[in-house]
Amino acid sequence: QVQLVESGGGSVQSGGSLRLSCQASGNTYNYVHMGWFRQVAGAEREGVAMFDSDGRISYSDSVKGRFTISHDNAKNTLYLQMDSLKPDDTAMYYCAVNNNPGLRGAYYLKNPDQMDYWGKGTSVTISS
């Protein structure tokens, strides 16, 4: 079992920045992919960024160049630095992990339902 707790969400104006954190605990040693996803009420969950244990990183086209994903092994924490935020970035943000070494993280950006464990999310609101 893996427990994931997100933090860092909030409300900022368009153009601002936020840094999300995801603290992992439990059996985290064997995860292969860690990622950030977001969901707006009434819409499907979408992938934002993925960090693979081999260092490979993937981003969705909508956030590429504005968001940066990183991971601190010592702290078992995944981060998402979000810059140049837009109202369209408003959503609940979730982190999730997957233990399947057979596929690249980019695959899970488009298939979030195949992630193994999820946090409860942190809310991000961007005002214009």
Side-chain angles (χ1 to χ4, degrees), residues 38-46 88-94 123-124:
R38 65 188 182 186
Q39 188 171 25
V40 177
E44 293 186 356
R45 195 167 293 186
E46 65 168 328
D88 284 349
D89 295 318
T90 295
M92 185 70 77
Y93 283 71
Y94 301 87
S123 180
V124 171

mmCIF file of all heavy atoms in Angstrom, residues 38-46 88-94 123-124:
data_model
loop_
_atom_site.group_PDB
_atom_site.id
_atom_site.type_symbol
_atom_site.label_atom_id
_atom_site.label_comp_id
_atom_site.label_asym_id
_atom_site.label_seq_id
_atom_site.Cartn_x
_atom_site.Cartn_y
_atom_site.Cartn_z
ATOM 1 N N ARG A 38 -5.239 16.182 -13.136
ATOM 2 C CA ARG A 38 -6.192 17.183 -12.686
ATOM 3 C C ARG A 38 -7.571 16.873 -13.235
ATOM 4 O O ARG A 38 -7.723 16.199 -14.251
ATOM 5 C CB ARG A 38 -5.753 18.586 -13.086
ATOM 6 C CG ARG A 38 -5.716 18.847 -14.584
ATOM 7 C CD ARG A 38 -5.077 20.213 -14.856
ATOM 8 N NE ARG A 38 -5.067 20.534 -16.285
ATOM 9 C CZ ARG A 38 -4.470 21.610 -16.794
ATOM 10 N NH1 ARG A 38 -3.817 22.463 -15.993
ATOM 11 N NH2 ARG A 38 -4.520 21.841 -18.094
ATOM 12 N N GLN A 39 -8.558 17.396 -12.518
ATOM 13 C CA GLN A 39 -9.928 17.130 -12.916
ATOM 14 C C GLN A 39 -10.814 18.298 -12.550
ATOM 15 O O GLN A 39 -10.747 18.828 -11.436
ATOM 16 C CB GLN A 39 -10.440 15.858 -12.230
ATOM 17 C CG GLN A 39 -11.797 15.400 -12.724
ATOM 18 C CD GLN A 39 -12.167 14.036 -12.188
ATOM 19 O OE1 GLN A 39 -11.686 13.606 -11.137
ATOM 20 N NE2 GLN A 39 -13.004 13.312 -12.905
ATOM 21 N N VAL A 40 -11.627 18.674 -13.501
ATOM 22 C CA VAL A 40 -12.652 19.682 -13.302
ATOM 23 C C VAL A 40 -13.982 18.956 -13.163
ATOM 24 O O VAL A 40 -14.214 17.942 -13.823
ATOM 25 C CB VAL A 40 -12.686 20.657 -14.496
ATOM 26 C CG1 VAL A 40 -13.807 21.661 -14.338
ATOM 27 C CG2 VAL A 40 -11.352 21.359 -14.653
ATOM 28 N N ALA A 41 -14.849 19.454 -12.313
ATOM 29 C CA ALA A 41 -16.146 18.821 -12.087
ATOM 30 C C ALA A 41 -16.870 18.608 -13.405
ATOM 31 O O ALA A 41 -16.983 19.530 -14.233
ATOM 32 C CB ALA A 41 -16.983 19.665 -11.144
ATOM 33 N N GLY A 42 -17.315 17.367 -13.623
ATOM 34 C CA GLY A 42 -18.048 17.051 -14.830
ATOM 35 C C GLY A 42 -17.185 16.644 -16.006
ATOM 36 O O GLY A 42 -17.715 16.307 -17.074
ATOM 37 N N ALA A 43 -15.874 16.682 -15.825
ATOM 38 C CA ALA A 43 -14.964 16.315 -16.906
ATOM 39 C C ALA A 43 -14.117 15.126 -16.489
ATOM 40 O O ALA A 43 -14.037 14.785 -15.302
ATOM 41 C CB ALA A 43 -14.073 17.494 -17.268
ATOM 42 N N GLU A 44 -13.481 14.504 -17.459
ATOM 43 C CA GLU A 44 -12.609 13.377 -17.158
ATOM 44 C C GLU A 44 -11.289 13.860 -16.564
ATOM 45 O O GLU A 44 -10.852 14.987 -16.819
ATOM 46 C CB GLU A 44 -12.325 12.580 -18.439
ATOM 47 C CG GLU A 44 -13.547 11.875 -19.000
ATOM 48 C CD GLU A 44 -13.195 10.971 -20.175
ATOM 49 O OE1 GLU A 44 -12.020 10.965 -20.596
ATOM 50 O OE2 GLU A 44 -14.089 10.264 -20.664
ATOM 51 N N ARG A 45 -10.685 12.989 -15.777
ATOM 52 C CA ARG A 45 -9.378 13.308 -15.217
ATOM 53 C C ARG A 45 -8.340 13.293 -16.338
ATOM 54 O O ARG A 45 -8.364 12.409 -17.193
ATOM 55 C CB ARG A 45 -9.023 12.284 -14.142
ATOM 56 C CG ARG A 45 -7.891 12.670 -13.252
ATOM 57 C CD ARG A 45 -7.819 11.758 -12.038
ATOM 58 N NE ARG A 45 -8.968 11.929 -11.163
ATOM 59 C CZ ARG A 45 -9.090 11.330 -9.983
ATOM 60 N NH1 ARG A 45 -8.141 10.522 -9.538
ATOM 61 N NH2 ARG A 45 -10.155 11.528 -9.247
ATOM 62 N N GLU A 46 -7.451 14.281 -16.326
ATOM 63 C CA GLU A 46 -6.443 14.359 -17.377
ATOM 64 C C GLU A 46 -5.048 14.378 -16.791
ATOM 65 O O GLU A 46 -4.814 14.896 -15.690
ATOM 66 C CB GLU A 46 -6.661 15.607 -18.247
ATOM 67 C CG GLU A 46 -6.463 16.917 -17.535
ATOM 68 C CD GLU A 46 -6.406 18.100 -18.490
ATOM 69 O OE1 GLU A 46 -5.934 17.926 -19.623
ATOM 70 O OE2 GLU A 46 -6.811 19.193 -18.078
ATOM 71 N N ASP A 88 -7.723 28.377 -17.128
ATOM 72 C CA ASP A 88 -7.988 27.001 -17.574
ATOM 73 C C ASP A 88 -7.256 25.962 -16.734
ATOM 74 O O ASP A 88 -7.539 24.765 -16.841
ATOM 75 C CB ASP A 88 -7.580 26.820 -19.039
ATOM 76 C CG ASP A 88 -8.579 27.446 -19.992
ATOM 77 O OD1 ASP A 88 -9.680 27.828 -19.537
ATOM 78 O OD2 ASP A 88 -8.271 27.557 -21.196
ATOM 79 N N ASP A 89 -6.296 26.394 -15.922
ATOM 80 C CA ASP A 89 -5.590 25.460 -15.041
ATOM 81 C C ASP A 89 -6.378 25.174 -13.765
ATOM 82 O O ASP A 89 -5.965 24.337 -12.960
ATOM 83 C CB ASP A 89 -4.213 26.022 -14.664
ATOM 84 C CG ASP A 89 -3.286 26.151 -15.862
ATOM 85 O OD1 ASP A 89 -3.263 25.229 -16.698
ATOM 86 O OD2 ASP A 89 -2.578 27.179 -15.953
ATOM 87 N N THR A 90 -7.470 25.873 -13.567
ATOM 88 C CA THR A 90 -8.301 25.653 -12.387
ATOM 89 C C THR A 90 -8.834 24.228 -12.376
ATOM 90 O O THR A 90 -9.447 23.775 -13.350
ATOM 91 C CB THR A 90 -9.475 26.644 -12.368
ATOM 92 O OG1 THR A 90 -8.973 27.974 -12.225
ATOM 93 C CG2 THR A 90 -10.433 26.331 -11.228
ATOM 94 N N ALA A 91 -8.572 23.514 -11.288
ATOM 95 C CA ALA A 91 -8.977 22.109 -11.189
ATOM 96 C C ALA A 91 -8.581 21.569 -9.823
ATOM 97 O O ALA A 91 -7.873 22.229 -9.058
ATOM 98 C CB ALA A 91 -8.310 21.279 -12.282
ATOM 99 N N MET A 92 -9.031 20.360 -9.553
ATOM 100 C CA MET A 92 -8.497 19.599 -8.431
ATOM 101 C C MET A 92 -7.303 18.824 -8.965
ATOM 102 O O MET A 92 -7.411 18.145 -9.999
ATOM 103 C CB MET A 92 -9.555 18.647 -7.881
ATOM 104 C CG MET A 92 -9.130 17.892 -6.648
ATOM 105 S SD MET A 92 -8.988 18.956 -5.202
ATOM 106 C CE MET A 92 -10.715 19.136 -4.783
ATOM 107 N N TYR A 93 -6.188 18.935 -8.278
ATOM 108 C CA TYR A 93 -4.967 18.272 -8.710
ATOM 109 C C TYR A 93 -4.684 17.073 -7.816
ATOM 110 O O TYR A 93 -4.720 17.181 -6.580
ATOM 111 C CB TYR A 93 -3.790 19.249 -8.678
ATOM 112 C CG TYR A 93 -3.791 20.200 -9.847
ATOM 113 C CD1 TYR A 93 -4.740 21.218 -9.931
ATOM 114 C CD2 TYR A 93 -2.868 20.080 -10.874
ATOM 115 C CE1 TYR A 93 -4.769 22.087 -11.013
ATOM 116 C CE2 TYR A 93 -2.879 20.943 -11.963
ATOM 117 C CZ TYR A 93 -3.833 21.938 -12.027
ATOM 118 O OH TYR A 93 -3.859 22.792 -13.098
ATOM 119 N N TYR A 94 -4.371 15.957 -8.460
ATOM 120 C CA TYR A 94 -4.105 14.712 -7.761
ATOM 121 C C TYR A 94 -2.734 14.176 -8.142
ATOM 122 O O TYR A 94 -2.305 14.323 -9.283
ATOM 123 C CB TYR A 94 -5.124 13.638 -8.153
ATOM 124 C CG TYR A 94 -6.565 13.991 -7.883
ATOM 125 C CD1 TYR A 94 -7.321 14.685 -8.814
ATOM 126 C CD2 TYR A 94 -7.184 13.600 -6.692
ATOM 127 C CE1 TYR A 94 -8.651 14.998 -8.581
ATOM 128 C CE2 TYR A 94 -8.517 13.898 -6.441
ATOM 129 C CZ TYR A 94 -9.238 14.603 -7.392
ATOM 130 O OH TYR A 94 -10.549 14.898 -7.143
ATOM 131 N N SER A 123 -6.899 21.575 -4.248
ATOM 132 C CA SER A 123 -7.643 22.433 -5.159
ATOM 133 C C SER A 123 -6.810 23.633 -5.614
ATOM 134 O O SER A 123 -6.145 24.293 -4.806
ATOM 135 C CB SER A 123 -8.921 22.916 -4.473
ATOM 136 O OG SER A 123 -9.660 23.748 -5.326
ATOM 137 N N VAL A 124 -6.877 23.912 -6.909
ATOM 138 C CA VAL A 124 -6.189 25.059 -7.507
ATOM 139 C C VAL A 124 -7.217 25.910 -8.235
ATOM 140 O O VAL A 124 -7.972 25.397 -9.078
ATOM 141 C CB VAL A 124 -5.093 24.598 -8.481
ATOM 142 C CG1 VAL A 124 -4.528 25.789 -9.258
ATOM 143 C CG2 VAL A 124 -3.982 23.873 -7.724
#
